Amino acid sequence: MSVAIVTGASRGLGRALAGELAARGWDLVLSARGTAALEEAAAGLGRSGGETGGRVGRVVAVAGDVSSGEHRAALLASARELGGLDLLVNNAGVLGAEPLVPLAVHPLDGLREAFEVNVVGPLGLLQEGLPLLRASAAGAVLNISSDAAVVPYATWGAYGATKAAGDLMSAVLAVEEPGLRVWWADPGSMRTRMMAAAEPGEDLAGLPAPEEVAPVLLRLVADGLPSGRYTAEGLAAGAGAGAGR
């Protein structure tokens, strides 16, 4: 069966994506910083039946920070034990400041952490996972982006810079690794703890839950769409690569 690594999988979009993959019978290696929350998520997913015959995929929880080389090595070791790696979902991310603040007063330590978690860590995990992805019949990488990567929203400059860097690296990876599918996808604003922390004064009631967005993003996997930048809005409308912002 297919094997995926999903980072930032204890809550929000990462957990929702993991849930959708589990429902399709995927074997999963889940990563997040919080051990208790991650183990709770993994336990719930481990009881999920697959679409065909009610297969319950294997779920392995490996708590840690993607900016740690030791943690990344543990994730890849777990994937090898499950049989390889077919899909890498780089979803884990931090804002760099909570709540978000203008660049003029943004803490530099927070910016460094955001680049380590949002850019350096995913690249390290990709580098270490490339042999397994190349060996897969349908190796793919899904990097979670943001419209803050392409739109200059006030207070989102530091976080947006990390996502812009991730977008460019994704685009270059798609050129350098034509045998892989490489998607960088903007899920849009969602009703998540991260969004609440970013802008605590905003009313999020009208935003979609991650569980509504995850199946839309996973059309990339189900349909084997070409490498490129996608938005959840564009995918829901049936648009191709590059649709939306």
Short mmCIF file of all heavy atoms in Angstrom, two decimals, residues 169-207:
data_model
loop_
_atom_site.label_atom_id
_atom_site.label_comp_id
_atom_site.label_asym_id
_atom_site.label_seq_id
_atom_site.Cartn_x
_atom_site.Cartn_y
_atom_site.Cartn_z
N MET A 169 11.16 27.25 -4.10
CA MET A 169 11.87 25.97 -4.02
C MET A 169 11.04 24.85 -4.62
O MET A 169 11.58 23.94 -5.27
CB MET A 169 12.26 25.66 -2.58
CG MET A 169 13.37 26.54 -2.04
SD MET A 169 14.23 25.83 -0.60
CE MET A 169 12.87 25.49 0.49
N SER A 170 9.74 24.89 -4.42
CA SER A 170 8.87 23.87 -4.99
C SER A 170 8.93 23.91 -6.52
O SER A 170 9.00 22.87 -7.18
CB SER A 170 7.43 24.07 -4.53
OG SER A 170 7.31 23.96 -3.14
N ALA A 171 8.88 25.12 -7.07
CA ALA A 171 8.92 25.27 -8.51
C ALA A 171 10.24 24.77 -9.10
O ALA A 171 10.26 24.11 -10.15
CB ALA A 171 8.70 26.74 -8.89
N VAL A 172 11.32 25.08 -8.41
CA VAL A 172 12.63 24.60 -8.87
C VAL A 172 12.72 23.08 -8.75
O VAL A 172 13.23 22.39 -9.64
CB VAL A 172 13.76 25.28 -8.08
CG1 VAL A 172 15.11 24.65 -8.42
CG2 VAL A 172 13.79 26.77 -8.38
N LEU A 173 12.20 22.54 -7.65
CA LEU A 173 12.20 21.09 -7.47
C LEU A 173 11.44 20.40 -8.61
O LEU A 173 11.87 19.36 -9.10
CB LEU A 173 11.57 20.73 -6.13
CG LEU A 173 11.46 19.23 -5.83
CD1 LEU A 173 12.85 18.61 -5.66
CD2 LEU A 173 10.60 18.98 -4.59
N ALA A 174 10.32 20.98 -9.02
CA ALA A 174 9.55 20.39 -10.11
C ALA A 174 10.35 20.33 -11.40
O ALA A 174 10.19 19.39 -12.20
CB ALA A 174 8.26 21.19 -10.33
N VAL A 175 11.24 21.31 -11.60
CA VAL A 175 12.11 21.30 -12.78
C VAL A 175 13.23 20.28 -12.62
O VAL A 175 13.57 19.54 -13.55
CB VAL A 175 12.69 22.71 -13.02
CG1 VAL A 175 13.72 22.69 -14.14
CG2 VAL A 175 11.57 23.69 -13.35
N GLU A 176 13.81 20.24 -11.43
CA GLU A 176 14.96 19.37 -11.19
C GLU A 176 14.58 17.90 -11.04
O GLU A 176 15.42 17.02 -11.29
CB GLU A 176 15.70 19.84 -9.93
CG GLU A 176 16.32 21.21 -10.07
CD GLU A 176 16.97 21.70 -8.79
OE1 GLU A 176 16.68 21.14 -7.71
OE2 GLU A 176 17.79 22.65 -8.86
N GLU A 177 13.35 17.64 -10.63
CA GLU A 177 12.90 16.25 -10.42
C GLU A 177 11.65 15.98 -11.26
O GLU A 177 10.54 15.81 -10.74
CB GLU A 177 12.60 16.01 -8.94
CG GLU A 177 13.79 16.17 -8.01
CD GLU A 177 14.78 15.02 -8.15
OE1 GLU A 177 14.37 13.93 -8.60
OE2 GLU A 177 15.97 15.23 -7.83
N PRO A 178 11.80 15.92 -12.58
CA PRO A 178 10.62 15.75 -13.44
C PRO A 178 9.91 14.41 -13.25
O PRO A 178 8.76 14.27 -13.66
CB PRO A 178 11.20 15.88 -14.86
CG PRO A 178 12.65 15.49 -14.72
CD PRO A 178 13.05 16.00 -13.37
N GLY A 179 10.56 13.46 -12.61
CA GLY A 179 9.93 12.17 -12.36
C GLY A 179 8.96 12.19 -11.19
O GLY A 179 8.22 11.23 -10.98
N LEU A 180 8.96 13.29 -10.42
CA LEU A 180 8.05 13.43 -9.28
C LEU A 180 6.93 14.40 -9.61
O LEU A 180 7.07 15.26 -10.47
CB LEU A 180 8.81 13.96 -8.05
CG LEU A 180 9.99 13.15 -7.52
CD1 LEU A 180 10.57 13.85 -6.30
CD2 LEU A 180 9.60 11.72 -7.21
N ARG A 181 5.82 14.25 -8.89
CA ARG A 181 4.79 15.28 -8.91
C ARG A 181 5.10 16.20 -7.73
O ARG A 181 5.27 15.73 -6.60
CB ARG A 181 3.41 14.67 -8.72
CG ARG A 181 3.02 13.64 -9.76
CD ARG A 181 2.68 14.26 -11.10
NE ARG A 181 2.35 13.25 -12.08
CZ ARG A 181 1.32 13.31 -12.91
NH1 ARG A 181 0.51 14.34 -12.85
NH2 ARG A 181 1.11 12.36 -13.80
N VAL A 182 5.18 17.49 -7.99
CA VAL A 182 5.46 18.48 -6.95
C VAL A 182 4.35 19.52 -6.98
O VAL A 182 4.17 20.22 -7.97
CB VAL A 182 6.83 19.16 -7.15
CG1 VAL A 182 7.10 20.12 -6.00
CG2 VAL A 182 7.94 18.12 -7.25
N TRP A 183 3.60 19.57 -5.90
CA TRP A 183 2.50 20.54 -5.80
C TRP A 183 2.76 21.49 -4.64
O TRP A 183 3.13 21.07 -3.55
CB TRP A 183 1.17 19.82 -5.55
CG TRP A 183 0.87 18.73 -6.53
CD1 TRP A 183 0.67 18.84 -7.88
CD2 TRP A 183 0.69 17.34 -6.23
NE1 TRP A 183 0.38 17.62 -8.43
CE2 TRP A 183 0.39 16.67 -7.46
CE3 TRP A 183 0.75 16.58 -5.06
CZ2 TRP A 183 0.16 15.30 -7.52
CZ3 TRP A 183 0.53 15.23 -5.12
CH2 TRP A 183 0.24 14.59 -6.35
N TRP A 184 2.55 22.78 -4.86
CA TRP A 184 2.55 23.74 -3.76
C TRP A 184 1.17 24.38 -3.78
O TRP A 184 0.74 24.95 -4.78
CB TRP A 184 3.70 24.73 -3.82
CG TRP A 184 3.99 25.43 -5.13
CD1 TRP A 184 3.85 26.77 -5.38
CD2 TRP A 184 4.55 24.87 -6.35
NE1 TRP A 184 4.26 27.08 -6.67
CE2 TRP A 184 4.69 25.93 -7.28
CE3 TRP A 184 4.92 23.59 -6.74
CZ2 TRP A 184 5.19 25.75 -8.57
CZ3 TRP A 184 5.43 23.39 -8.02
CH2 TRP A 184 5.55 24.46 -8.92
N ALA A 185 0.45 24.17 -2.69
CA ALA A 185 -0.98 24.45 -2.70
C ALA A 185 -1.37 25.40 -1.58
O ALA A 185 -0.99 25.23 -0.42
CB ALA A 185 -1.76 23.15 -2.56
N ASP A 186 -2.16 26.40 -1.94
CA ASP A 186 -2.71 27.37 -0.98
C ASP A 186 -4.10 26.91 -0.56
O ASP A 186 -5.02 26.90 -1.39
CB ASP A 186 -2.76 28.74 -1.66
CG ASP A 186 -3.58 29.76 -0.88
OD1 ASP A 186 -3.80 29.55 0.33
OD2 ASP A 186 -3.99 30.77 -1.50
N PRO A 187 -4.28 26.53 0.71
CA PRO A 187 -5.58 26.06 1.14
C PRO A 187 -6.59 27.18 1.38
O PRO A 187 -7.78 26.91 1.56
CB PRO A 187 -5.27 25.33 2.46
CG PRO A 187 -4.07 26.06 2.98
CD PRO A 187 -3.27 26.45 1.77
N GLY A 188 -6.12 28.42 1.42
CA GLY A 188 -7.00 29.53 1.76
C GLY A 188 -7.14 29.66 3.27
O GLY A 188 -6.67 28.83 4.04
N SER A 189 -7.79 30.71 3.70
CA SER A 189 -8.01 30.94 5.14
C SER A 189 -8.96 29.88 5.69
O SER A 189 -9.96 29.54 5.05
CB SER A 189 -8.59 32.33 5.38
OG SER A 189 -7.68 33.33 4.97
N MET A 190 -8.63 29.36 6.86
CA MET A 190 -9.43 28.31 7.48
C MET A 190 -9.67 28.64 8.95
O MET A 190 -8.99 29.47 9.53
CB MET A 190 -8.71 26.95 7.37
CG MET A 190 -8.53 26.44 5.96
SD MET A 190 -7.54 24.91 5.94
CE MET A 190 -5.93 25.58 6.37
N ARG A 191 -10.61 27.95 9.51
CA ARG A 191 -10.94 28.11 10.93
C ARG A 191 -10.02 27.21 11.75
O ARG A 191 -10.36 26.09 12.11
CB ARG A 191 -12.41 27.73 11.14
CG ARG A 191 -13.00 28.18 12.44
CD ARG A 191 -14.52 28.08 12.43
NE ARG A 191 -15.01 26.73 12.28
CZ ARG A 191 -15.65 26.26 11.20
NH1 ARG A 191 -15.86 27.05 10.15
NH2 ARG A 191 -16.08 25.01 11.16
N THR A 192 -8.81 27.72 12.02
CA THR A 192 -7.80 26.94 12.72
C THR A 192 -7.24 27.71 13.90
O THR A 192 -7.38 28.94 13.99
CB THR A 192 -6.63 26.58 11.79
OG1 THR A 192 -5.99 27.80 11.36
CG2 THR A 192 -7.10 25.81 10.56
N ARG A 193 -6.56 26.98 14.78
CA ARG A 193 -5.90 27.61 15.92
C ARG A 193 -4.81 28.56 15.45
O ARG A 193 -4.59 29.61 16.05
CB ARG A 193 -5.33 26.53 16.84
CG ARG A 193 -4.80 27.07 18.16
CD ARG A 193 -4.15 25.98 19.00
NE ARG A 193 -5.05 24.86 19.23
CZ ARG A 193 -4.70 23.74 19.87
NH1 ARG A 193 -3.47 23.61 20.34
NH2 ARG A 193 -5.58 22.77 20.03
N MET A 194 -4.12 28.20 14.36
CA MET A 194 -3.06 29.05 13.85
C MET A 194 -3.62 30.38 13.36
O MET A 194 -3.05 31.45 13.63
CB MET A 194 -2.31 28.34 12.73
CG MET A 194 -1.16 29.14 12.15
SD MET A 194 -0.34 28.28 10.78
CE MET A 194 1.35 28.34 11.32
N MET A 195 -4.73 30.34 12.65
CA MET A 195 -5.33 31.58 12.16
C MET A 195 -5.80 32.44 13.32
O MET A 195 -5.65 33.67 13.30
CB MET A 195 -6.50 31.25 11.23
CG MET A 195 -7.04 32.45 10.48
SD MET A 195 -5.82 33.12 9.32
CE MET A 195 -6.72 34.53 8.69
N ALA A 196 -6.36 31.82 14.34
CA ALA A 196 -6.80 32.57 15.52
C ALA A 196 -5.62 33.21 16.23
O ALA A 196 -5.73 34.34 16.74
CB ALA A 196 -7.55 31.64 16.47
N ALA A 197 -4.48 32.52 16.26
CA ALA A 197 -3.30 33.08 16.90
C ALA A 197 -2.71 34.22 16.07
O ALA A 197 -2.15 35.18 16.62
CB ALA A 197 -2.25 31.98 17.09
N ALA A 198 -2.82 34.12 14.75
CA ALA A 198 -2.27 35.15 13.88
C ALA A 198 -3.01 36.47 14.02
O ALA A 198 -2.41 37.54 14.12
CB ALA A 198 -2.32 34.68 12.42
N GLU A 199 -4.34 36.40 14.03
CA GLU A 199 -5.17 37.59 14.11
C GLU A 199 -6.29 37.35 15.12
O GLU A 199 -7.43 37.05 14.74
CB GLU A 199 -5.74 37.92 12.73
CG GLU A 199 -4.66 38.24 11.70
CD GLU A 199 -5.21 38.61 10.33
OE1 GLU A 199 -6.34 38.17 10.02
OE2 GLU A 199 -4.55 39.35 9.61
N PRO A 200 -5.98 37.44 16.40
CA PRO A 200 -6.94 37.06 17.44
C PRO A 200 -8.21 37.90 17.46
O PRO A 200 -9.22 37.48 18.00
CB PRO A 200 -6.15 37.23 18.73
CG PRO A 200 -5.00 38.12 18.39
CD PRO A 200 -4.68 37.82 16.96
N GLY A 201 -8.21 39.06 16.83
CA GLY A 201 -9.40 39.89 16.83
C GLY A 201 -10.37 39.58 15.71
O GLY A 201 -11.48 40.13 15.66
N GLU A 202 -9.98 38.71 14.79
CA GLU A 202 -10.81 38.42 13.63
C GLU A 202 -11.89 37.38 13.94
O GLU A 202 -11.67 36.46 14.73
CB GLU A 202 -9.94 37.90 12.48
CG GLU A 202 -8.99 38.94 11.90
CD GLU A 202 -9.73 40.08 11.22
OE1 GLU A 202 -10.65 39.80 10.42
OE2 GLU A 202 -9.38 41.25 11.50
N ASP A 203 -13.03 37.54 13.29
CA ASP A 203 -14.12 36.57 13.42
C ASP A 203 -13.91 35.48 12.37
O ASP A 203 -13.98 35.75 11.17
CB ASP A 203 -15.47 37.27 13.20
CG ASP A 203 -16.65 36.32 13.34
OD1 ASP A 203 -16.43 35.14 13.69
OD2 ASP A 203 -17.79 36.76 13.11
N LEU A 204 -13.64 34.27 12.80
CA LEU A 204 -13.33 33.17 11.89
C LEU A 204 -14.55 32.29 11.61
O LEU A 204 -14.43 31.28 10.91
CB LEU A 204 -12.22 32.29 12.48
CG LEU A 204 -10.95 33.01 12.93
CD1 LEU A 204 -9.91 31.98 13.40
CD2 LEU A 204 -10.38 33.87 11.82
N ALA A 205 -15.70 32.66 12.13
CA ALA A 205 -16.88 31.80 12.04
C ALA A 205 -17.26 31.47 10.60
O ALA A 205 -17.77 30.39 10.31
CB ALA A 205 -18.06 32.44 12.76
N GLY A 206 -17.01 32.39 9.69
CA GLY A 206 -17.41 32.16 8.30
C GLY A 206 -16.40 31.40 7.47
O GLY A 206 -16.66 31.11 6.29
N LEU A 207 -15.27 31.06 8.06
CA LEU A 207 -14.23 30.35 7.30
C LEU A 207 -14.48 28.84 7.32
O LEU A 207 -15.05 28.30 8.27
CB LEU A 207 -12.86 30.64 7.91
CG LEU A 207 -12.39 32.10 7.88
CD1 LEU A 207 -11.02 32.23 8.54
CD2 LEU A 207 -12.36 32.64 6.46
#
